[in-house]
Amino acid sequence: RKEFEMSFNSLEYKLSVPGVDSSIDDYTMYSSKSVSFSIVSESQEETINLNWSSLSTIIGKFRTSNGWFGSVIPFRVSLSDATDVQITPILEDSGKECFPSQLHRSRSTKILASEFPVSSPIENMTVIVSKGNYTDNKRNKIDTSKTSNVLVLKMSFKLKSSHQLATCCRKLKDCKFDVILDKIILFDGDIRLPVRSGSTSTKEGRKEILPNILLFMSSGIEWNIYITIVFFSWTCWMLEISLIYLAFFLIVLLFVAISPKGRLSNVIRNYFSMDGHKDMSFFVNGWQAWSFCGAVFHGHLSPMYAMLNVFAKGFHDGGDGTSFPFNIGDENSNIDNSASWSFGWRGLALKDFFMASDMFTALTNLDSKCGIVIGFLSQKLQFGCIATNRDFNRVTVHASGDGVHLVPGSTISTDWLAMYAFDSVIEPFRTYMAMSRDENDALVSSRCNATLLNTSEVPVGWCSWYHFFEKVSEEDLMKNLQCMKRMKAKYNLAADRMGFNLFQIDDGYQNAWGDWSVLNKKTFPKQSLYNIVTQVKDEHMVGGIWMAPFACDKHSMVAKQHPDWILRRKGSSTVACNSGNCGKWFYGLDATNEEVQEHIKENIVVATRIWGFTYLKLDFLYASVLGGVQESFKDKTLTKAQILQRGMKLIRDTAGDGVFILGCGAPLGSVIGYVHANRISSDAGLSWLPEFPLPTADKWNLPCARNMVRNSLCRMFMHGYWWVNDPDCMLLRPTLHFSEEELLGIATVKAFSGGSFILSDDLDTLTSSRLRVALQMLPPTNVSAVPLDLLSREMPELLRLQLESPPMPSDLNLVGNSATSCQNLITNWTLIAVCNWDSKNSADKTHSMSLVDIFGQPVVDAAITSSMLHFKSTVCLLFKFNFWTETYHHMQVNLNGDDEQLIHFTAIPHHSARIYKMGLYLQPNSPVWIGSNLHFSCGCDVAALLEVDNPAGVDDLVLAAFYNATQGTGRSIIEGAQHINDPDKGVHLTNRTVRVVFADGALRDPSWGGCIWLFLPTLLQPLQCSLSCLQISGSAWHGQDYAAAESHVSVVAEVCQCGVYGSVFKIPVGTRRVLHPQELIQERSNEGNATNQQALDELLISWIYSKSG
């Protein structure tokens, strides 16, 4: 036995593999082999131990054509089967093929195994294990770079030559055979996470909540109910349906609920065990956008789709066991049961008692708040998954071979697998996402900085689908195009910063799926979309179009004229492989067929170069890799991940760099680097839950707000790393089945996602109150929030969004201001979204958070330093502004307090959320921007907040204020000017002026009701002082220029804590542009110039506090 030990930065692992024992004459295989790892977290406070009983195992079969039916000979080859193993270190300058280049100070080991048994088809096997440091430097100013200790693993093997393969088994002699690859097991073994002392997380301490009868039904007999479902489908269309049939239908639904085929049994079990043990969690990432994503807790089962397999399975199982491990070992597996149960699923028991996550996962102990992230850095070569048992103490990682035909003499490799420990449940996937971004050359260069970036990166506009669906007509499109034009003019949305420019045509324009260039003659009589795109461009907007390039309808010309293009079911050369969509069936196309590739290219060329679209929404991308179709691919040597990658590359190259691509219905890992934006959730739907007769308990692909919200929350961390997140459209029309509170909850999630924001109603039907919600979210921030309870709740309810101050406009006029007044008083700030996703009948919820939860440890540490410097104390003032309710509150907090000092957020309605702007007062005697009702960010609507020393025209305001403050004394304005702050005259005044410069397009007209909240301090001590006068002017001011503002401005709070004195004011604002003569001349000279930018709206606010002597 050869041993190789290596340690670096407290990250240690030991490899123990079979080799040559000099004391034995023949090569001997040892019965006990293991790979043990001890992974230390970033803070080096927690250690995670792994003991892999199996490393690098290949599962497959020989399939012969001998006789009538041929035969299948399974094989299983493991690294432990080799009798010659060489272990050598790899130098760091060996290149990316040896280890990911983003790992710094990497130490790598190469394990080369050969001399496998004669019956094995493998000539040699190579395993590369590397470890090193990864630092994500592409971060914003608030969140500093983070270095993680990462372990990466990659495996490859070489197949024997044709002559050598024929000698593997006597049954292969003198007959034609294929070598089929089913799965590659990278490792399988035990895992032990640290537990907090005193934890009751023991197997003996668990209590099974479910009745035994449900356990029996869940894992027992497979209920065959297809006949009854077909019978019911007929009765649904009968006009004379009776109560007897209705009762029969309810009984059928009951059988569906207990059927493992329908998987509603898992839904029921999770419902009954919802309050079960949550000491550990396993993060499940579904195979594609519509698949379930969220945390599953200790002793619970992973939620499954509630529809029958015939309706839902096609959506999610293209990975053939990677997204759903439930077919491992059953009758549908590509390998026989004996082989499947021998390669490492020991301890996983029945299939209903383990779960899997596609591509990556996090296994977490919620008591100790530590865990491990395991994930493939890409899915270029295979789809892959990580599975665990119900006890969360065993992990298996495998890549799907998809039943590909291996070419003799060829070398097969896996994608890189990475793993690292963490001891904080906040942003556990950050390092993984950054490494994956670099590995895939994602089209987003880095995670978006916390500023308002160029909104051309984030789609904002309108889509036709959710109002007109497939019945859309050219008339409908033109009507909404004109409505968009009016909205841009009325609500100040024409500014480039707002990005309200996308006009996307969805499904319904074409004659049939697959015939994308043939339009519906009834609804599009001109038979071309060029004229529509031309009018869109004339309005300075972007034209977008929807298509499903890898799918076709049964009645399409493509299906009729080219049946050989269609993917076929497993074991059949004639039966097409259907994929179910709600209310629709369609076929998948063979993307390995050269004729299909030309068909796809022609459609992309027509859409982008002939019609002129520069935005493509590519939907149902999983149709190219449907489950069970491997034998129908023309090229049977490619895995499904490789097929999808090649199809996406074909589209990307054909469309060109100037075309924005949105992916939808896509297996997530294989489209990174080919799409600019990607759907991360199910369809938004028209109600909170799936509508009858669809099962409301379904948590997968059925369209509804609940499923959309959950996946959008649980995949927020993908934004800016892999692509721009698309949480689907925002629906606002009053005829929907959403309450006002549900609307606010959905809007909060979409706003905090930082991704695309697209309306999809007939714009003429929107009421002003609901349209106001949409306007308050424009433009998107391009920054995603951090779900603080991502690993501890299935649907996270606490979100933190940290933002940076936008850069001040380069042309901002600062003439006459002192040097100190040129500094923007708005720097960094924090938003908290507090949600309540409980059932509809639940009471309002209260959440409590510590200061570290709200701001993060780095911000709190910096605040302690600043508070001690300025106030000589760690006690300071906390500002808390509720955006949706427009209410303000402040309180005194101790920055050095323990976690028991909690901030309470009360009265959160069910299915809804509240947005809070949170701030700490750390700069003495400085004005503070509290927030506004203009934009949910409460800060991105302001280009600058400047304290002005002597702005032009303010002297007169100060004197007028002094005169008003001293009325009855007989003093004139000039006389008063001589006695300002003159104690001998008995008058003390503090004169301050602040300049508020609004971002372009932030303000609406005055009737919209825009308001800002400002804290205005006084320098006067002690507290016995009062506001003498407040004067406001500027283009954004509602009131009369140079007039007292008390009648327009309300004092919402007096601040008299922590040595801070002042008042919080609510000030109405709106666009009322007042141009100076020179500006008016300039505007007229630029009339007709499209590049002319209007002057920014602003306020000048002067205030005076006085104290009698």
Side-chain angles (χ1 to χ4, degrees), residues 102 134 136 429-439 721-722:
Q102 60 264 37
Y134 178 82
D136 180 18
F429 297 112
R430 191 173 89 175
T431 296
Y432 169 76
M433 297 303 296
M435 292 185 68
S436 180
R437 171 199 62 205
D438 298 342
E439 182 72 13
Y721 282 106
W722 286 358

Side-chain angles (χ1 to χ4, degrees), residues 646-661:
R646 294 192 180 191
M648 293 305 300
K649 185 178 186 304
L650 173 70
I651 294 174
R652 176 77 269 169
D653 293 343
T654 304
D657 295 335
V659 176
F660 189 100
I661 294 181

Side-chain angles (χ1 to χ4, degrees), residues 817-920:
N817 297 346
S818 67
T820 57
S821 65
C822 297
Q823 182 178 0
N824 193 351
L825 296 178
I826 301 179
T827 53
N828 306 324
W829 70 98
T830 299
L831 296 177
I832 294 293
V834 185
C835 313
N836 177 7
W837 308 126
D838 289 350
S839 62
K840 196 168 186 178
N841 297 325
S842 63
D844 292 351
K845 180 178 284 189
T846 295
H847 284 284
S848 300
M849 302 174 65
S850 67
L851 291 177
V852 173
D853 292 335
I854 295 173
F855 296 103
Q857 192 65 57
V859 175
V860 173
D861 291 342
I864 292 174
T865 302
S866 179
S867 183
M868 289 297 297
L869 176 65
H870 296 297
F871 297 106
K872 310 302 181 184
S873 171
T874 59
V875 178
C876 73
L877 202 67
L878 174 72
F879 296 114
K880 178 179 167 186
F881 176 70
N882 189 325
F883 174 76
W884 289 126
T885 62
E886 300 183 10
T887 54
Y888 165 81
H889 178 69
H890 62 261
M891 63 182 297
Q892 190 169 293
V893 295
N894 186 351
L895 296 173
N896 235 353
D898 53 27
D899 290 340
E900 294 181 0
Q901 179 183 230
L902 299 176
I903 312 301
H904 303 291
F905 303 87
T906 60
I908 312 299
H910 60 264
H911 298 175
S912 192
R914 294 290 182 261
I915 297 175
Y916 292 91
K917 160 74 178 299
M918 308 297 294
L920 297 169

Side-chain angles (χ1 to χ4, degrees), residues 553-572:
D553 275 329
K554 293 183 176 182
H555 63 275
S556 65
M557 291 188 295
V558 168
K560 294 177 181 178
Q561 298 175 5
H562 304 282
D564 56 316
W565 292 3
I566 296 174
L567 295 175
R568 303 293 171 178
R569 288 184 184 177
K570 179 180 179 181
S572 173

Side-chain angles (χ1 to χ4, degrees), residues 284-356:
V284 174
N285 176 58
W287 178 56
Q288 60 127 314
W290 306 331
S291 305
F292 173 85
C293 183
V296 180
F297 302 106
H298 203 174
H300 294 202
L301 293 179
S302 179
M304 294 298 299
Y305 49 86
M307 301 289 286
L308 292 175
N309 284 352
V310 68
F311 296 115
K313 191 176 181 182
F315 282 101
H316 312 291
D317 71 341
D320 276 341
T322 57
S323 56
F324 288 123
F326 299 99
N327 65 352
I328 296 176
D330 70 10
E331 70 278 7
N332 296 320
S333 179
N334 290 334
I335 55 179
D336 69 356
N337 292 349
S338 59
S340 66
W341 284 104
S342 63
F343 69 76
W345 293 100
R346 300 177 307 277
L348 295 186
L350 297 176
K351 59 187 178 182
D352 276 340
F353 287 85
F354 66 89
M355 63 197 72

Side-chain angles (χ1 to χ4, degrees), residues 505 509-510 515-519 527-534 537 545-547 603-614:
I505 305 171
Y509 67 89
Q510 75 287 346
D515 304 334
W516 304 111
S517 59
V518 181
L519 302 188
Q527 289 297 288
S528 177
L529 298 178
Y530 173 79
N531 60 315
I532 298 179
V533 177
T534 300
K537 292 181 177 179
I545 192 168
W546 173 95
M547 66 172 61
N603 290 321
I604 299 298
V605 168
V606 170
T608 58
R609 301 179 190 175
I610 297 179
W611 289 342
F613 289 100
T614 55

